[in-house]
Amino acid sequence: MTDLIQDAALAFTGDALTSLLSPSIRLLGLGEPTHGVEAFPELRNELFRHLVEHEGYRSIALESDCLSALTADAYVADGTGTLDAAMSGGFSHGFGSSPANRELLRWMRAHNEGRPAHDRLRFYGVDGPLETSGAASPRPALTALYDCLAGRLELPWSRERLDELLGPDDRWSDPAAMYDPVHSVGRTPEARELRLIADDLGALLTAHTPPLTATASPDGFWRAGLHARTAAGLLRYHAAMADATPTRFDALLGLRASMMADNLDAIVRREARRGPTLAFTHNSHLQRDISGMRFGDRAVRWWSAGAIIGSRLGDQYAFAASAFGTRGADVPAPDTLEGLLSTLPHPRTVIAPARLRPALTRAPVPRIPADHTYFSLDPATVDQLDAIVFVKEI
């Protein structure tokens, strides 16, 4: 088995990875097996530079709040604000503290200096305004969409009515609502009315696309669509938080994945004339197979953003999962795929899963740590990957 893996392995470079992929790709997903390990965003930066300089990529999308990302994008695309401000306001999930993310924005800004607008690199977030502790108020997204349309159309609602229905933002962002639906306001009469308004505003944006695109800037119309998706998605998410049935967490994870997939879909369409996009998230958000984890004593399953967007894009989507071998005292068992890949001589390896198939007849069992934050390669589904990027030691 080891000889077969040795024959299939390549030392990691941007060229080595793209040599395994179809030239028709519009969206390349690069996953990381766990958050908070700088080796993986550093590898992402190296790959993105190669894709920009040699493969025509002009955009990157990270697992971060899509609305916050507008701040980071304004900095890299137009030089708006400072790098410090872009780091503090342009990321969610604590990712603004990552040195690799800081270097990514710094390099993108330097690359864009002096370039025409159509050739500048763009930065996107694919996640909703969601954290482990809960979800944000829909106010920023909904009012931004309303303001865009109110300046051009006669609307049957006033801003005062929206504010009245929204109420205090801390009602929406109460962390207690994540684990106890009693604390959620997502199914109150006001929230139900807001969902109808958000749906109607989104429909008006679509129905009036021709005049709106003629009078708004391309970036302005793009932001209106982003706010429409986010407002509707957040209100659906809050409604699911108020659900007391046993499948509550399945629904929440599925709704988050749908928001991520819709954002990726919109990014790919926006970037279609400029080049492909690199997406970087946890492996579990990009995989084609059904995702699963445990909440207490319950197994939760949902289809990830990668599974959803992959069904839409077909062979225009590719997913390279990354994994690692040794991390301090954490050494993979020799009968796992990570253990087998640890025998390779390269510090960082690219390998085509199809080349591994003859070596996987024994189907070693993947390791599953207790905290469920690590994505272990599963030989049973490895053929759904387009490439594996393996870091021997972190």
Side-chain angles (χ1 to χ4, degrees):
M1 183 180 288
T2 301
D3 290 342
L4 290 169
I5 294 177
Q6 293 273 5
D7 292 342
L10 301 170
F12 173 81
T13 63
D15 280 329
L17 176 57
T18 56
S19 71
L20 304 179
L21 308 176
S22 165
S24 66
I25 287 172
R26 306 305 303 168
L27 179 66
L28 169 58
L30 174 67
E32 61 176 349
T34 188
H35 291 320
V37 177
E38 285 292 291
F40 296 105
E42 288 170 358
L43 184 147
R44 170 208 67 199
N45 289 356
E46 180 182 337
L47 174 62
F48 186 54
R49 287 193 293 270
H50 169 83
L51 296 173
V52 169
E53 293 167 358
H54 302 285
E55 308 286 347
Y57 283 60
R58 289 294 177 268
S59 56
I60 188 168
L62 269 57
E63 181 187 340
S64 191
D65 174 9
C66 56
L67 299 186
S68 296
L70 295 172
T71 299
D73 180 61
Y75 172 75
V76 301
D78 303 316
T80 302
T82 65
L83 178 55
D84 285 343
M87 294 305 300
S88 62
F91 293 87
S92 60
H93 310 334
F95 295 152
S97 63
S98 163
N101 284 342
R102 186 180 186 89
E103 173 57 21
L104 174 67
L105 295 198
R106 187 208 62 77
W107 179 82
M108 291 176 71
R109 178 65 208 138
H111 182 278
N112 284 341
E113 286 284 358
R115 294 179 182 270
H118 71 270
D119 194 37
R120 294 175 193 165
L121 306 180
R122 304 303 297 256
F123 179 93
Y124 298 98
V126 302
D127 211 347
L130 310 170
E131 296 286 354
T132 305
S133 58
S137 166
R139 181 189 306 277
L142 189 59
T143 55
L145 173 61
Y146 179 92
D147 291 345
C148 173
L149 294 174
R152 297 168 174 86
L153 304 174
E154 289 291 333
L155 299 178
W157 319 275
S158 66
R159 269 296 296 271
E160 291 74 21
R161 179 55 178 162
L162 285 188
D163 288 336
E164 179 185 341
L165 291 170
L166 286 162
D169 286 343
D170 58 8
R171 295 193 317 151
W172 297 93
S173 56
D174 182 359
M178 176 56 73
Y179 297 99
D180 187 349
V182 171
H183 294 280
S184 173
V185 297
R187 295 194 179 184
T188 60
E190 294 83 1
R192 292 190 180 97
E193 186 172 346
L194 286 168
R195 288 185 71 184
L196 291 173
I197 292 173
D199 184 68
D200 285 348
L201 288 173
L204 285 170
L205 180 67
T206 300
H208 292 270
T209 295
L212 289 172
T213 53
T215 57
S217 68
D219 280 354
F221 190 75
W222 157 261
R223 286 192 295 270
L226 174 62
H227 288 128
R229 292 193 305 276
T230 305
L234 271 175
L235 287 162
R236 282 193 295 268
Y237 195 88
H238 279 288
M241 289 178 74
D243 181 11
T245 64
T247 58
R248 178 173 181 263
F249 278 112
D250 306 67
L252 289 172
L253 290 165
L255 286 170
R256 182 189 179 196
S258 297
M259 291 177 72
M260 295 175 77
D262 287 344
N263 282 331
L264 285 169
D265 198 12
I267 292 165
V268 170
R269 285 186 282 110
R270 188 189 195 196
E271 294 289 333
R273 296 183 181 180
R274 298 193 334 123
T277 297
L278 174 66
F280 180 75
T281 78
H282 193 280
N283 281 324
S284 61
H285 298 308
L286 295 172
Q287 68 180 23
R288 292 185 177 91
D289 190 37
I290 194 165
S291 296
M293 62 185 300
R294 298 196 70 84
F295 272 102
D297 59 354
R298 248 198 114 254
V300 179
R301 292 170 71 80
W302 75 99
W303 289 103
S304 73
I308 297 169
I309 195 67
S311 68
R312 297 176 187 173
L313 293 180
D315 61 6
Q316 293 184 316
Y317 173 65
F319 170 39
S322 56
F324 65 84
T326 301
R327 180 185 184 186
D330 181 14
V331 179
D335 63 343
T336 63
L337 188 46
E338 286 92 342
L340 294 170
L341 292 171
S342 292
T343 65
L344 297 170
H346 313 302
R348 301 182 306 172
T349 298
V350 177
I351 194 163
R355 297 285 304 277
L356 292 176
R357 192 184 306 277
L360 298 178
T361 53
R362 291 191 297 169
V365 178
R367 54 182 175 151
I368 305 176
D371 62 6
H372 305 291
T373 60
Y374 176 72
F375 178 98
S376 186
L377 295 171
D378 185 350
T381 60
V382 76
D383 59 344
Q384 297 190 31
L385 307 175
D386 295 281
I388 297 170
V389 179
F390 185 74
V391 180
K392 191 169 185 177
E393 185 173 359
I394 58 173

